[in-house]
Each structure stands twice: as C-alpha cells, then as structure tokens.
Amino acid sequence: MTAFIEGLPKAELHVHLEGTLEPEHIFELASRNKIELEYKTPQDVIDAYDFHDLPSFLKIYYAAMGVLHTEQDFYELTYHYFERAAKDNVVYVEPFFDPQGHTSRGVDFDTIINGIHRAQEDARKNLGIESNLIMCFLRDMSAESAAEHLQMSLPFKDWIIGVGLDSDEKDNPPTKFQQVFADARQAGYKLTMHCDVNQKDILGHIRECIDIIKVDRIDHGINALEDEALCADIVKHDLGLTVCPVSNRFVVQSLTSNEIRTMLEKNMKVTINSDDPGYFRAYLTDNFIALTEEGHFSEQELTQLARNAFDAAWLDDADKAHYQQRINDYISG
Ligand code: HPA
Ligand code: ZN
C-alpha cells in the first residue's frame, strides 16, 4: 500500500508555505540574517514543538517565521517545499502564504511574493510541479489590515489565484471579513477559509462561509459532519474540503479517518493535505500512509481522495481532465 500511495499522482490544496519551514533551514536563515535563536540545534527546535491546540501551534509558527527576511529566503522556503513535494509525486499545489506575518515585521510585500513566485517558476521548469498561490489573511488581525493587504496584492493579481483566512479562529468569524472577501471576489480571486477542527462556534462559521461569504472551498471543515444540513449544502455547492489528518491529530488525537470515510460515503469532496509539514513532521505521502494505517483505506478510496483534490483545485476543465488521466494511467499502468 505504501508503494501505491507513493506513486499516486497527487495535488495539495492546503499547505502553508511558512509551515514548511524545516528546523535546519531555520538555523541557516538565522545565521545568515544574524538572528539569535534560543535553541542550540535543529533537534532542540523539534523537541520544543509541543502542539495541543491551534494557539499553541501558532505561537511557535509566528516566532519561527521571524527568520525570513529577504527575497532569497522566501525563494528557498518555497523551493525546498517543492523539492520535497516532488519526492511525494505531488504534481499540482495551491500553497498558502501569510503576508501579514512578514509585513508586520517590516518585510515588504514585493519581497515576499517575488521570492515565492520565482520558486514557483523554477519548480514548474525543473520539477514539473504546477502551482497557483493563495494569499491568506490572519483572522486575529483587523479587517482593515486585511483590506490593506488585498490592495497590496492587486499589482500581483496574475500571480495569485485566491484568498484564504487562517490563524486564530476563536471569536474571529468569517463575517468579520465579509467586505474584504466581497472585494476579493470582485477582483477575480477565488475564496476559501479555514474552519478548523473543534473551534468555538465552528458550525456557525461553516454556515457563514457557505451562505454569506459564498466560499469556493473550505479548509478543514470536519465538524460539518455534526450537521446534516451543512453536509447537504456542501454537496449541493460542490465545495471541496481540505482535510489535514496529521495536523488534526494534534487537536483531536485521531487522524479523523472515520470522518474522512463518512465524507467519502456522503459524496463530499474531501481531500488529504499536510497543512504545516515542517512542524507536524509529515508531508503529503506521510499523511496518506498514516491515514491508511488508522483507517485501513482501500486503493479505491485512496484513489478517490487523490481524484477529489484535482477536482476541487482551481483549474480549468482541460487541466482537471489532464490530471485525472494521469491517475487513470497510474491505475491501469
Ligand atoms: N490553522 C490556522 N492557521 C494556520 C494554520 C492552521 O492549520 N496553519 C498555519 N496557520
Ligand atoms: Zn491550515
């Protein structure tokens, strides 16, 4: 089964580029940018990872991204992720980036996006991985800040396919960003939002995403299973759900394999993703393998999960057909 998973052509729709920062790279960047770390070795950094909920993760995540300063830093962050993803037979990615995590430290928007974009171009040329970038707003910052960053992004509109919403969800509902997301839609962006696992008011957040924001996709969204009407509307609107099994395990002590199987049975377009693989120590293939160990998924179920990701991707029909054919070739080859 491991070999089957490794070879399967995959798409990844929920990976935070800043969440791919590897401890060795944290050290390299800290040294280059003359930043003092409170850890002696990369292993010390890993040993300090103690995530049990979203805030405990975010604290470490924002502290560590402080080593990213130059365009080259953002290039390397992004290109290293693509190199790792290529080993997992990931052929298409819609990665997130968090500009406010950097502009708030004095890094220019142009510096961030130029580095990321150059890595995307090189990954296309050298690794055969296509990608389309998603800009996330930090929901624990103000709607005004999000609106400012939307404006900053417009000169780079051709390099960004959509906007998302991440960071601390508690008391930061989708409607806080209703106007920004309406403006983003107007600018031609696709829309997605995190509805993280087991958050306060989570069913209300999922409902707002569907009815008010009118998202094109939902990130996580596992809790929708608690409400039949939400499940029905997710199917009706054909909304992809980007579930992250290993990430979930830090919060719910399970890879949510039962929930993922239930979603498949309900015809919900559930996909498998790595979220923050540098921190959770599991890239995409690792997520598929761990999930299969817990839930004993069949080749047919795993193939459906991989197909769902290409289907839920923000690609045109011809591109989707091309990727589905690659899966057909793999299955029949
Ligand atoms: N949830 C919310 N914010 C995040 C995440 C996540 O999984 N990863 C990085 N920022
Ligand atoms: Zn996420």
Side-chain angles (χ1 to χ4, degrees), residues 202-266:
I202 189 62
L203 298 182
H205 289 186
I206 298 173
R207 179 49 73 195
E208 287 183 8
C209 276
I210 299 171
D211 289 356
I212 300 175
I213 310 297
K214 300 193 191 300
V215 293
D216 299 290
R217 206 155 67 204
I218 293 175
D219 298 313
H220 298 290
I222 280 279
N223 295 92
L225 289 173
E226 295 159 26
D227 181 333
E228 275 307 320
L230 283 178
C231 293
D233 284 346
I234 286 167
V235 172
K236 184 173 93 185
H237 295 291
D238 197 27
L239 296 177
L241 298 162
T242 64
V243 172
C244 308
V246 174
S247 169
N248 286 344
R249 186 166 59 188
F250 287 95
V251 182
V252 295
Q253 286 71 52
S254 139
L255 294 155
T256 61
S257 55
N258 289 332
E259 290 84 348
I260 289 165
R261 177 168 280 124
T262 303
M263 286 177 160
L264 284 174
E265 287 165 0
K266 286 179 178 290

Side-chain angles (χ1 to χ4, degrees), residues 31-203:
S31 153
R32 199 158 78 200
N33 292 327
K34 313 223 172 343
I35 294 164
E36 198 150 338
L37 294 175
E38 55 179 295
Y39 305 101
K40 293 238 166 358
T41 67
Q43 188 58 46
D44 290 346
V45 173
I46 295 174
D47 292 343
Y49 291 168
D50 172 25
F51 315 127
H52 45 275
D53 56 13
L54 186 52
S56 62
F57 163 71
L58 292 171
K59 191 162 168 256
I60 292 173
Y61 173 78
Y62 290 121
M65 69 173 77
V67 297
L68 294 160
H69 281 269
T70 66
E71 185 186 314
Q72 180 63 21
D73 298 345
F74 287 94
Y75 173 87
E76 288 176 11
L77 171 76
T78 308
Y79 199 73
H80 289 173
Y81 161 70
F82 282 127
E83 283 182 316
R84 181 64 187 75
K87 294 199 175 101
D88 282 358
N89 259 307
V90 173
V91 294
Y92 178 72
V93 188
E94 289 175 5
F96 298 128
F97 76 119
D98 283 332
Q100 289 157 294
H102 314 298
T103 56
S104 59
R105 302 181 287 110
V107 181
D108 287 342
F109 190 90
D110 304 27
T111 301
I112 307 163
I113 197 155
N114 282 324
I116 293 173
H117 184 74
R118 189 156 55 84
Q120 289 181 269
E121 300 254 84
D122 283 355
R124 175 177 293 129
K125 274 187 294 210
N126 304 337
L127 305 168
I129 300 184
E130 299 284 337
S131 61
N132 284 303
L133 188 61
I134 302 173
M135 177 174 73
C136 281
F137 303 116
L138 303 187
R139 68 200 305 161
D140 43 358
M141 292 185 75
S142 67
E144 290 72 27
S145 174
E148 283 164 22
H149 285 76
L150 179 63
Q151 288 304 314
M152 284 181 214
S153 78
L154 295 179
F156 303 96
K157 216 168 71 171
D158 293 348
W159 292 358
I160 299 172
I161 196 159
V163 296
L165 188 69
D166 62 3
S167 203
D168 196 354
E169 188 161 340
K170 185 162 180 276
D171 298 325
N172 293 304
T175 45
K176 176 177 168 185
F177 300 93
Q178 190 175 344
Q179 187 61 51
V180 186
F181 274 70
D183 293 345
R185 169 80 80 203
Q186 197 67 33
Y189 290 135
K190 295 279 193 183
L191 311 181
T192 187
M193 286 184 164
H194 277 56
C195 291
D196 249 289
V197 61
N198 287 5
Q199 296 294 300
K200 178 176 170 236
D201 305 325
I202 189 62
L203 298 182

Side-chain angles (χ1 to χ4, degrees), residues 14 16 96 194 220 275-276:
H14 185 156
H16 302 263
F96 298 128
H194 277 56
H220 298 290
D275 207 1
D276 300 285

